[in-house]
Amino acid sequence: MKARVTAHARYIIADIDKRLYGSFLEHLGRAVYTGIYEPDHPTADSSGMRQDVIDLVRGLDTPICRYPGGNFVSAYNWEDGIGPKEDRPTRLDLAWHTSESNQVGIHEFADWAEKANTEMMLAVNLGSRGLDEARAFLEYVNHEGGTYWSDLRRKNGRADPWDVKVWCLGNEMDGPWQVGAKSAAEYGHLANETAKAMRAYDQSLELIVCGSSGPGMTTFPEWEATVLDHTYENVDHISLHMYFENYEKNTAEFLALPEKLDRYIGTVSGVIDYIKGKKRSSKTVGISFDEWNVWYHERENDMERIKDWGWPHAPALLEDIYNFEDVLQVGCILNTFIRRSDVVRMACIAQLVNVIAPIMTAPGGAAWKQTIYYPFQFASLYGRGTALQLDVDSLTYNADVAAGVSYLDISGVHDATNGTLTFFAVNRSADEPLEIDLEIEGFGTAKTVEHTLIKHQDLEAKNTKNNPNNVKPEVGGGAKLSGGKLSLSVPSLSYSMIRVQL
Ligand code: AHR
């Protein structure tokens, strides 16, 4: 099968905000305890953080990390996680039916984030708590000193404020499962008042208001319209979440789901424009897609187990083991974000360690890369610069979720600083390789090309503790440059990264 692609220097979408490659770490399952934090682990540093995990996180170069939830945040008291560790209370975590020891709190997470080379995105609890807790937390985290909360931080061992810029106003407040879930009007009012108070402290904060927890919510997209109507002038981003499932084991349908993602972004972008127009506003709210991933492998089992498992501390939960098929899906999702980078300014893979995550750990043992580590890593490292508006001519197929799904899913990024063009391509066809002709126009001379391929004959192939390199990138064969033209063949059901040095 043939496909033709044209990249032209003048056809651009947007400058990509590097925070498109953000991540998320929640107090959930083993994400924190025996994930990033395990004081008895052989690689643990003096604060109990696993160095082997930090190394893998640094390998992803994820510029921002959302914390501490997720559903967890909606019944969380951040004050439980400060002060001497022996005095911290153990609490019930109502979101995941577990116990929270609070041995990791804001100080430990902030230290870890610095070591992992990632900025913090903090969420405030607008479920069981509200404005007062949010302003106290902000003062604790960002104020220099001389006030109750900032002096308490200093007393607890941190002299300098952390100066966190990006704050989430609650989590999934539209979800009936959320502790303290609200109607759009209730939440819109509370989020706006909280945003006003936080801005009264610092105008330059970037505030994220909750959009829908998925396009399947019955309140979508009216939720976005109502919430933005209340908050438009006081927030910077609206948060969206989406998880991808393949219970039916139908690869063609599964790989078409990013079309739904694209529509979801398009609809919310339209709602933003509508409210902007209604308010006669000159500012444009962006989208923070701060939870996304494949999530279904363990989902139903987990929800069954939770019901009667008491209140364990840091049990294995939501530990999806990803396969090769998921590499293709994550590649297509990231391509969608790159193509929508004009409106999606930030996005966070959910999550980072052990819980629906690219990184897995064994307590007391190894840490390894799940299959999906690679497409995320490639996008994060090489998908920075200007997103290109590619002209793509490829055969298509019809899926339940959308008609005309292109067999070739591709995005392109121009990094003018390093003089590179990078293309991320997924061949969705189960039957045929794709012979791609790619014309490169207006960028100057293309000098060299490198092709990195991820392909496995078994869609179910996984990376495990005992076989951590089962699915991994390899050097692709046969990408050729001639004049301004690049040609290559990509195998059926495969992921490719093609990098051109200009
Ligand atoms: O990432 C897992 C959970 O999914 C989060 O806690 C919640 O926000 C979403 O429903």
Side-chain angles (χ1 to χ4, degrees), residues 24 26 28 70-71 96 171-172 177 241 243 291 295 318 350-351 356:
F24 173 37
E26 177 169 2
L28 196 182
N71 295 340
W96 302 104
N171 175 69
E172 293 190 348
W177 58 85
H241 296 172
Y243 290 99
E291 283 185 37
W295 177 17
L318 277 54
Q351 299 192 6
I356 41 174

